[in-house]
Amino acid sequence: MASSSATASSGTAPTDRPGERARLAAVRRYAILDTPADGAFDRVAGLAARIFDVPMASVTIVDRDRIWFKAQQGLPPGVSEIAREPGLCASAILDGRPYVVTDARRDPRTATHSLVRGGPGVRFYAAAPITGSGGHRLGTVNIMDTRPRRIGDRELATLADLAAVVMDELELRLSAMRTLRVERDMRIRVETERARLAHLASVLQRTLLPPALPRVPGLDVAAHYEIASADQVGGDFYDLFPLGGRRWGFFLGDVCGKGPEAAALTSLARYTLRSAAVHNPDPVAVLRILNTVLLHEEQGDDPRYCTVLFGLLAPDGDGFTVTLAGGGHPPALLLRREGAVEPLHPPGGQLIGVLPDPHMARITVRMRPGDGLLLHSDGLTEARTPGGGMLGEEGLREHLAVSRPAAAGADGVLTDLRKLLVGLDARLWDDTALLALVVPRA
């Protein structure tokens, strides 16, 4: 069982503590205070309450002299903020570690806190700080109960994961706000300046993709993204991220449309997939959660749907076990070391965000040393040659069976495909996203 050693008060006013001015500046920079209720953060609070089986959970931001609730579940109606009293949220941001109070009435740090003495009568409290890239702790994800209880290290790690999900969403929104603000201002003045508009679109595109893929022990990974039109933000997206227990999640998808609307939908899809995967080991369940979110987000005639492949990687001896589910997306290609190319097309796999109960299923395969896995958007197979023909899925598989690019690693797969398009003198009519995973030969 872990607990924090943070002192509830130090005799120093909060705003006088070292680094507090910079921390408050970071809070202001994210422009989250006093914003309306938001489904993304509400879902985190609800998920925390369900995971830990507690009656109360919240996502809070610590301001200069108040604790503001961005999302809360189970607290008295109308509670949107409380004074910055030491003991709970205000103390939980002090040293960056998970903060635990097993019995708030008996703990001197919290015994006089208003949430303990009055309604709702908090007895148990645990929090994980929401920490930005600069190390500033903006607030906390909290779970509370009206009875004393204990919490283990594994549960605290899960709570920290939820805080990281909140921070990811804040970072994505900050990037989108910055780039969309610049885009809105510049479009008025530079409609005829194609080069500047193309630069703007590329900046926005980079905010919607992971800056770099993580290192996966025992696996070679690479990704490539190419936009068909330089003056529009594309709708393809991909990601690879750790899930704990040596498992990894990955996905590649394509949202409907282009431009700012596609950028907003891409941000929502990435956040939802990562958040759902943290606590759900079933790729089908993860896609169903995304389907529900997109259905609830739909407004008027604005279509909000996407295609996506979502998978889980787990080390398996000298290789990896891959569990994959799909929603209306082109099949992944398993590149066997002997040269065979196997399309992995989970049965069903209807579009995400169209039907309330789409049919989906999962498939499981094993990647051995020398095997590779390629995920791609339909821009690759729909690449047009000067004669008007398309590469097509069959043409792609035939090429890969001959070239066997997995032998050169993940970068080798992507280099091979770029050379293929150049050799065909093919034109991309749609954005193209590629994600290659290769198990190196022993």
Side-chain angles (χ1 to χ4, degrees), residues 396-419:
L396 174 62
R397 292 197 297 268
E398 290 176 352
H399 169 80
L400 293 172
V402 173
S403 64
R404 301 189 182 186
D411 284 327
V413 174
L414 303 188
T415 299
D416 176 78
L417 293 176
R418 289 195 291 269
K419 288 181 178 179

Side-chain angles (χ1 to χ4, degrees), residues 182-202:
V182 172
E183 182 185 23
R184 184 170 57 249
D185 293 341
M186 291 185 65
R187 279 186 181 274
I188 299 174
R189 297 173 291 155
V190 297
E191 284 297 328
T192 59
E193 299 179 31
R194 184 70 175 269
R196 293 179 66 187
L197 187 61
H199 172 71
L200 177 64
S202 68

